Amino acid sequence: MPALDLQTATLDLTDTGGDGPALVLLHGPLLDRTIWDGVIDRLPDMRCIAPTLPLGAHRHPAPENELTNESLTRLVADLLVALDLREVTLVLNDWGGAQIIVELGLADRVTRLALVACEAFDNVPAGQPGRMLARMSRIPGGLAVQAQLTKLRAVRRRLAASMAAHPIPDERMRRWFEPSREASIREDLRRFSARFPIPATRDWSSGLAAFTGPALVAWAEDDRMMPAEHGPRLADLLPDAELVRIPDAATLVPLDQPDLLARHLRELVQRPVRPAA
Protein backbone atom coordinates (compact mmCIF):
# COMPACT_ATOMS: atom_id res chain seq x y z
CA MET A 1 0.00 0.00 0.00
CA PRO A 2 1.80 3.17 -1.13
CA ALA A 3 1.64 6.43 0.78
CA LEU A 4 1.67 9.89 -0.77
CA ASP A 5 3.26 12.75 1.16
CA LEU A 6 1.48 16.03 0.49
CA GLN A 7 2.21 19.36 2.13
CA THR A 8 -0.56 19.04 4.71
CA ALA A 9 -1.06 15.28 5.08
CA THR A 10 0.24 11.83 4.27
CA LEU A 11 -2.32 9.68 2.49
CA ASP A 12 -2.36 5.92 2.11
CA LEU A 13 -3.84 5.15 -1.28
CA THR A 14 -4.67 2.53 -3.83
CA ASP A 15 -3.40 3.48 -7.29
CA THR A 16 -3.85 0.91 -10.03
CA GLY A 17 -1.69 2.92 -12.45
CA GLY A 18 -1.78 2.62 -16.22
CA ASP A 19 -2.82 4.93 -19.02
CA GLY A 20 -6.58 4.47 -18.76
CA PRO A 21 -9.06 7.16 -17.74
CA ALA A 22 -8.40 8.39 -14.19
CA LEU A 23 -11.00 7.94 -11.47
CA VAL A 24 -10.44 9.38 -7.99
CA LEU A 25 -12.70 7.66 -5.48
CA LEU A 26 -13.47 9.25 -2.09
CA HIS A 27 -15.00 7.84 1.10
CA GLY A 28 -16.74 9.14 4.22
CA PRO A 29 -15.95 9.54 7.94
CA LEU A 30 -14.70 6.48 9.86
CA LEU A 31 -14.19 4.63 6.56
CA ASP A 32 -11.17 4.16 4.33
CA ARG A 33 -10.19 3.49 0.72
CA THR A 34 -11.15 -0.20 0.97
CA ILE A 35 -14.84 0.57 0.38
CA TRP A 36 -13.84 0.90 -3.30
CA ASP A 37 -11.98 -2.42 -3.67
CA GLY A 38 -14.87 -4.25 -5.34
CA VAL A 39 -15.55 -1.41 -7.78
CA ILE A 40 -11.86 -1.06 -8.65
CA ASP A 41 -11.62 -4.80 -9.39
CA ARG A 42 -14.38 -4.32 -12.00
CA LEU A 43 -12.61 -1.44 -13.78
CA PRO A 44 -9.30 -3.04 -14.80
CA ASP A 45 -8.82 -0.80 -17.84
CA MET A 46 -9.03 2.44 -15.83
CA ARG A 47 -6.58 4.10 -13.50
CA CYS A 48 -8.34 4.08 -10.13
CA ILE A 49 -6.95 6.15 -7.25
CA ALA A 50 -8.58 5.72 -3.84
CA PRO A 51 -6.95 7.68 -0.99
CA THR A 52 -7.66 7.24 2.70
CA LEU A 53 -8.59 10.74 3.86
CA PRO A 54 -7.96 11.95 7.45
CA LEU A 55 -11.53 11.21 8.52
CA GLY A 56 -10.99 8.85 11.42
CA ALA A 57 -9.88 5.58 9.80
CA HIS A 58 -6.54 7.00 8.66
CA ARG A 59 -3.20 5.88 10.04
CA HIS A 60 -1.08 9.02 9.55
CA PRO A 61 -2.08 11.81 11.99
CA ALA A 62 -2.52 15.26 10.51
CA PRO A 63 -1.95 17.47 13.58
CA GLU A 64 -0.94 20.58 11.65
CA ASN A 65 -3.71 20.39 9.08
CA GLU A 66 -6.96 22.31 9.39
CA LEU A 67 -9.61 19.65 8.98
CA THR A 68 -12.71 21.09 7.36
CA ASN A 69 -14.66 20.34 4.20
CA GLU A 70 -12.78 23.19 2.54
CA SER A 71 -9.32 22.01 3.60
CA LEU A 72 -10.04 18.39 2.65
CA THR A 73 -11.28 19.54 -0.75
CA ARG A 74 -7.99 21.40 -1.20
CA LEU A 75 -6.20 18.24 -0.14
CA VAL A 76 -8.00 16.33 -2.90
CA ALA A 77 -7.00 19.04 -5.39
CA ASP A 78 -3.38 18.75 -4.18
CA LEU A 79 -3.58 14.99 -4.77
CA LEU A 80 -4.60 15.56 -8.39
CA VAL A 81 -1.64 17.89 -8.90
CA ALA A 82 0.86 15.64 -7.12
CA LEU A 83 -0.09 12.67 -9.32
CA ASP A 84 -0.39 14.91 -12.40
CA LEU A 85 -3.93 13.68 -13.04
CA ARG A 86 -5.98 15.36 -15.74
CA GLU A 87 -9.48 14.85 -17.12
CA VAL A 88 -10.34 13.19 -13.83
CA THR A 89 -13.63 11.56 -12.96
CA LEU A 90 -14.15 12.51 -9.30
CA VAL A 91 -16.37 10.09 -7.37
CA LEU A 92 -17.85 10.88 -3.94
CA ASN A 93 -19.60 8.43 -1.61
CA ASP A 94 -20.95 9.26 1.85
CA TRP A 95 -18.75 12.34 2.38
CA GLY A 96 -20.02 15.18 0.20
CA GLY A 97 -17.62 17.96 1.14
CA ALA A 98 -15.68 17.84 -2.11
CA GLN A 99 -18.76 19.10 -3.96
CA ILE A 100 -17.35 22.56 -3.23
CA ILE A 101 -14.36 21.85 -5.49
CA VAL A 102 -16.13 23.95 -8.13
CA GLU A 103 -17.03 26.73 -5.72
CA LEU A 104 -13.39 26.95 -4.56
CA GLY A 105 -12.10 27.16 -8.13
CA LEU A 106 -10.23 23.85 -7.88
CA ALA A 107 -12.01 21.83 -10.55
CA ASP A 108 -9.71 22.55 -13.49
CA ARG A 109 -8.50 18.92 -13.52
CA VAL A 110 -12.00 17.43 -13.02
CA THR A 111 -13.90 16.60 -16.21
CA ARG A 112 -16.62 14.33 -14.83
CA LEU A 113 -18.31 14.06 -11.45
CA ALA A 114 -20.14 11.18 -9.74
CA LEU A 115 -22.17 11.75 -6.58
CA VAL A 116 -22.96 8.37 -5.06
CA ALA A 117 -25.31 8.46 -2.05
CA CYS A 118 -23.43 11.33 -0.42
CA GLU A 119 -24.03 14.34 1.80
CA ALA A 120 -25.78 17.15 -0.04
CA PHE A 121 -27.49 20.48 0.56
CA ASP A 122 -28.13 20.76 4.32
CA ASN A 123 -27.69 17.05 5.16
CA VAL A 124 -24.26 17.63 6.70
CA PRO A 125 -23.35 15.75 8.79
CA ALA A 126 -25.45 13.03 7.20
CA GLY A 127 -28.39 11.42 8.92
CA GLN A 128 -28.63 10.25 12.49
CA PRO A 129 -25.18 8.53 12.50
CA GLY A 130 -23.44 11.67 11.23
CA ARG A 131 -25.19 13.93 13.72
CA MET A 132 -24.38 11.52 16.55
CA LEU A 133 -20.70 11.58 15.56
CA ALA A 134 -20.74 15.40 15.60
CA ARG A 135 -22.37 15.43 19.04
CA MET A 136 -19.91 12.88 20.46
CA SER A 137 -17.07 15.06 19.15
CA ARG A 138 -18.33 17.93 21.29
CA ILE A 139 -18.36 15.87 24.51
CA PRO A 140 -15.00 15.64 26.32
CA GLY A 141 -13.89 12.04 25.94
CA GLY A 142 -16.90 11.21 23.77
CA LEU A 143 -14.89 9.80 20.87
CA ALA A 144 -12.77 7.74 23.27
CA VAL A 145 -15.94 6.14 24.59
CA GLN A 146 -17.10 5.51 21.03
CA ALA A 147 -13.77 3.90 20.16
CA GLN A 148 -14.15 1.52 23.09
CA LEU A 149 -17.72 0.65 22.11
CA THR A 150 -16.65 -0.28 18.58
CA LYS A 151 -14.58 -3.09 20.08
CA LEU A 152 -17.90 -4.85 20.60
CA ARG A 153 -19.09 -6.94 17.68
CA ALA A 154 -22.75 -6.10 18.38
CA VAL A 155 -21.99 -2.38 18.11
CA ARG A 156 -20.09 -2.89 14.86
CA ARG A 157 -23.00 -4.89 13.41
CA ARG A 158 -25.48 -2.16 14.34
CA LEU A 159 -23.32 0.51 12.72
CA ALA A 160 -22.92 -1.64 9.61
CA ALA A 161 -26.70 -2.02 9.35
CA SER A 162 -27.10 1.77 9.33
CA MET A 163 -24.72 2.14 6.37
CA ALA A 164 -25.22 -0.88 4.13
CA ALA A 165 -28.07 -3.05 2.91
CA HIS A 166 -25.91 -6.18 3.04
CA PRO A 167 -23.69 -7.46 5.86
CA ILE A 168 -20.21 -5.97 6.00
CA PRO A 169 -17.46 -8.45 6.90
CA ASP A 170 -16.47 -7.86 10.50
CA GLU A 171 -12.79 -7.90 9.56
CA ARG A 172 -13.39 -4.80 7.45
CA MET A 173 -15.34 -3.08 10.22
CA ARG A 174 -12.51 -3.74 12.67
CA ARG A 175 -10.03 -2.27 10.19
CA TRP A 176 -12.09 0.92 9.94
CA PHE A 177 -12.45 1.44 13.68
CA GLU A 178 -9.03 0.35 14.90
CA PRO A 179 -7.20 3.63 14.08
CA SER A 180 -9.60 5.71 16.20
CA ARG A 181 -8.29 3.96 19.31
CA GLU A 182 -5.18 6.11 18.90
CA ALA A 183 -5.56 9.50 20.60
CA SER A 184 -3.93 11.40 17.72
CA ILE A 185 -6.36 9.94 15.18
CA ARG A 186 -9.34 10.67 17.43
CA GLU A 187 -8.16 14.26 17.75
CA ASP A 188 -8.11 14.62 13.95
CA LEU A 189 -11.65 13.24 13.80
CA ARG A 190 -12.78 15.53 16.63
CA ARG A 191 -11.38 18.62 14.92
CA PHE A 192 -13.27 17.71 11.75
CA SER A 193 -16.60 16.56 13.20
CA ALA A 194 -17.05 19.13 15.97
CA ARG A 195 -17.06 22.03 13.50
CA PHE A 196 -20.42 21.24 11.93
CA PRO A 197 -23.47 23.01 13.35
CA ILE A 198 -26.59 20.94 13.90
CA PRO A 199 -28.78 21.65 12.01
CA ALA A 200 -26.63 22.65 9.06
CA THR A 201 -26.44 26.34 8.24
CA ARG A 202 -24.83 26.01 4.81
CA ASP A 203 -25.94 24.63 1.47
CA TRP A 204 -22.96 22.47 0.47
CA SER A 205 -24.24 21.72 -3.04
CA SER A 206 -25.20 25.08 -4.54
CA GLY A 207 -21.83 25.57 -6.24
CA LEU A 208 -22.40 22.49 -8.41
CA ALA A 209 -24.57 24.51 -10.77
CA ALA A 210 -21.33 25.83 -12.28
CA PHE A 211 -20.03 22.34 -13.14
CA THR A 212 -20.87 21.77 -16.81
CA GLY A 213 -19.16 18.42 -17.35
CA PRO A 214 -20.93 15.04 -17.48
CA ALA A 215 -22.22 14.04 -14.07
CA LEU A 216 -23.74 10.95 -12.50
CA VAL A 217 -26.04 11.03 -9.49
CA ALA A 218 -26.41 7.48 -8.14
CA TRP A 219 -28.88 7.29 -5.26
CA ALA A 220 -29.51 4.21 -3.13
CA GLU A 221 -33.12 3.08 -2.79
CA ASP A 222 -32.69 1.77 0.77
CA ASP A 223 -30.64 4.67 2.14
CA ARG A 224 -31.47 5.87 5.66
CA MET A 225 -28.79 8.58 5.80
CA MET A 226 -29.25 10.45 2.52
CA PRO A 227 -32.79 11.79 1.81
CA ALA A 228 -34.38 10.26 -1.28
CA GLU A 229 -35.30 13.68 -2.66
CA HIS A 230 -31.68 14.84 -2.68
CA GLY A 231 -30.82 12.65 -5.67
CA PRO A 232 -33.30 14.35 -8.05
CA ARG A 233 -32.41 17.76 -6.61
CA LEU A 234 -28.73 17.22 -7.38
CA ALA A 235 -29.53 15.99 -10.89
CA ASP A 236 -31.64 19.09 -11.51
CA LEU A 237 -28.85 21.33 -10.21
CA LEU A 238 -26.12 19.90 -12.44
CA PRO A 239 -26.39 21.02 -16.10
CA ASP A 240 -25.39 17.64 -17.60
CA ALA A 241 -26.43 15.03 -15.06
CA GLU A 242 -27.89 11.56 -15.26
CA LEU A 243 -29.84 10.27 -12.26
CA VAL A 244 -29.84 6.53 -11.56
CA ARG A 245 -31.42 4.72 -8.64
CA ILE A 246 -29.49 1.83 -7.16
CA PRO A 247 -31.74 -1.00 -5.90
CA ASP A 248 -30.96 -3.18 -2.90
CA ALA A 249 -28.39 -0.70 -1.61
CA ALA A 250 -27.93 1.75 1.24
CA THR A 251 -25.33 4.50 1.67
CA LEU A 252 -22.32 2.31 0.97
CA VAL A 253 -23.28 1.57 -2.63
CA PRO A 254 -19.67 0.52 -3.48
CA LEU A 255 -20.09 -2.40 -1.06
CA ASP A 256 -23.73 -3.22 -1.74
CA GLN A 257 -23.71 -3.00 -5.55
CA PRO A 258 -20.14 -2.90 -6.93
CA ASP A 259 -21.11 -4.45 -10.29
CA LEU A 260 -23.89 -2.00 -10.98
CA LEU A 261 -21.93 1.02 -9.77
CA ALA A 262 -18.89 0.06 -11.85
CA ARG A 263 -21.12 -0.18 -14.92
CA HIS A 264 -22.58 3.27 -14.32
CA LEU A 265 -19.11 4.75 -13.76
CA ARG A 266 -17.90 3.20 -17.01
CA GLU A 267 -20.84 4.75 -18.83
CA LEU A 268 -20.06 8.12 -17.24
CA VAL A 269 -16.46 8.00 -18.41
CA GLN A 270 -17.65 7.25 -21.95
CA ARG A 271 -20.07 10.19 -22.10
CA PRO A 272 -18.83 13.05 -24.30
CA VAL A 273 -18.00 16.43 -22.83
CA ARG A 274 -20.20 19.20 -24.18
CA PRO A 275 -18.39 22.07 -25.90
CA ALA A 276 -18.11 25.16 -23.71
CA ALA A 277 -20.81 27.72 -24.36
Side-chain angles (χ1 to χ4, degrees):
M1 178 179 60
L4 179 66
D5 291 319
L6 300 176
Q7 185 173 0
T8 56
T10 297
L11 304 179
D12 291 325
L13 76 160
T14 295
D15 183 353
T16 60
D19 299 324
L23 281 74
V24 173
L25 307 138
L26 306 179
H27 62 82
L30 288 172
L31 308 174
D32 69 9
R33 61 186 176 80
T34 61
I35 69 164
W36 293 106
D37 287 352
V39 174
I40 290 172
D41 288 345
R42 291 161 173 81
L43 297 171
D45 56 333
M46 299 188 187
R47 182 179 180 184
C48 295
I49 299 100
T52 292
L53 300 173
L55 287 171
H58 58 297
R59 285 167 165 76
H60 302 283
E64 304 302 324
N65 189 16
E66 180 188 18
L67 293 175
T68 64
N69 274 346
E70 290 88 348
S71 72
L72 290 180
T73 299
R74 295 184 186 280
L75 184 64
V76 171
D78 291 345
L79 168 70
L80 305 187
V81 173
L83 297 179
D84 194 25
L85 301 175
R86 301 177 188 275
E87 298 185 1
V88 168
T89 297
L90 186 65
V91 187
L92 282 63
N93 175 240
D94 190 8
W95 178 57
Q99 290 175 75
I100 58 174
I101 196 167
V102 182
E103 184 179 318
L104 296 176
L106 302 172
D108 56 308
R109 293 173 180 260
V110 178
T111 302
R112 295 171 177 83
L113 182 65
L115 304 176
V116 182
C118 64
E119 297 170 328
F121 304 109
D122 61 349
N123 185 38
V124 179
Q128 191 275 336
R131 290 188 287 273
M132 179 59 70
L133 177 61
R135 292 188 181 102
M136 293 293 283
S137 298
R138 290 168 168 79
I139 300 171
L143 292 182
V145 172
Q146 176 177 280
Q148 290 300 312
L149 289 174
T150 58
K151 291 182 178 180
L152 302 175
R153 183 181 179 91
V155 172
R156 295 194 298 270
R157 291 178 62 182
R158 186 163 63 249
L159 290 170
S162 72
M163 297 185 291
H166 298 275
I168 301 174
D170 193 58
E171 179 181 355
R172 177 168 286 179
M173 297 289 293
R174 292 198 305 270
R175 172 192 170 89
W176 291 344
F177 294 127
E178 182 182 7
S180 65
R181 292 168 197 158
E182 295 291 334
S184 57
I185 301 299
R186 287 199 305 274
E187 177 58 18
D188 288 348
L189 179 62
R190 186 200 64 77
R191 288 188 294 127
F192 175 76
S193 299
R195 298 180 64 96
F196 294 104
I198 304 172
T201 56
R202 189 197 201 286
D203 179 344
W204 290 96
S205 304
S206 59
L208 288 176
F211 185 81
T212 59
L216 169 70
V217 179
W219 229 243
E221 291 187 349
D222 300 326
D223 203 327
R224 290 184 285 174
M225 293 176 60
M226 313 301 171
E229 65 272 15
H230 280 189
R233 281 182 63 190
L234 286 169
D236 288 342
L237 183 63
L238 287 153
D240 186 13
E242 177 189 11
L243 172 66
V244 298
R245 301 184 186 278
I246 308 296
D248 195 24
T251 302
L252 298 187
V253 176
L255 297 184
D256 283 333
Q257 291 286 8
D259 279 312
L260 184 56
L261 181 55
R263 190 185 80 194
H264 285 304
L265 290 174
R266 184 178 298 280
E267 292 171 353
L268 172 63
V269 169
Q270 294 171 347
R271 280 168 56 191
V273 178
R274 294 178 180 177

